[in-house]
Amino acid sequence: SGRIVRVQAKGDYKLSVTLPATADGLPANDSGTELVAGIPVGALIGVIVDAKEKKPGKPFEIKAEREWTPRESGLLQLKVNLPSGHKSTGKL
């Protein structure tokens, strides 16, 4: 911690998914879809994982680019905010 971190992502992908939805929108992660609530579906996200305890922190938005100074140290894990059961093709 204490150092600026910058992540830039380029590329695109196609997403196919079949999910039950209502007028309220797609279900959040508490329904088993593995989506992170409050972050756009399909956005690149990060999470800092404590290297000693292997415990992940709270996921946060990265999208195409983000620069920040982490408050904690650990391993940066990147993933895309996609529901379980999705099919995607392409590269980021």
Side-chain angles (χ1 to χ4, degrees):
S1 71
R3 291 184 167 173
I4 294 175
V5 174
R6 182 175 3 151
V7 174
Q8 290 180 301
K10 293 183 180 186
D12 57 18
Y13 63 96
K14 292 184 180 189
L15 169 66
S16 297
V17 64
T18 302
L19 283 176
T22 67
D24 292 331
L26 293 174
N29 61 350
D30 61 337
S31 66
T33 61
E34 298 182 13
L35 289 173
V36 178
I39 297 177
V41 174
L44 182 64
I45 61 176
V47 65
I48 305 292
V49 179
D50 183 290
K52 292 179 184 175
E53 303 202 15
K54 308 286 189 229
K55 184 178 177 184
K58 183 179 176 183
F60 56 92
E61 270 183 24
I62 292 179
K63 294 185 174 179
E65 182 175 349
R66 178 158 182 179
E67 188 173 289
W68 78 103
T69 302
R71 288 181 245 163
E72 63 277 329
S73 61
L75 303 172
L76 174 61
Q77 182 181 40
L78 300 175
K79 70 178 245 176
V80 180
N81 192 25
L82 294 174
S84 58
H86 74 278
K87 291 184 180 183
S88 57
T89 58
K91 287 185 178 182
L92 289 182

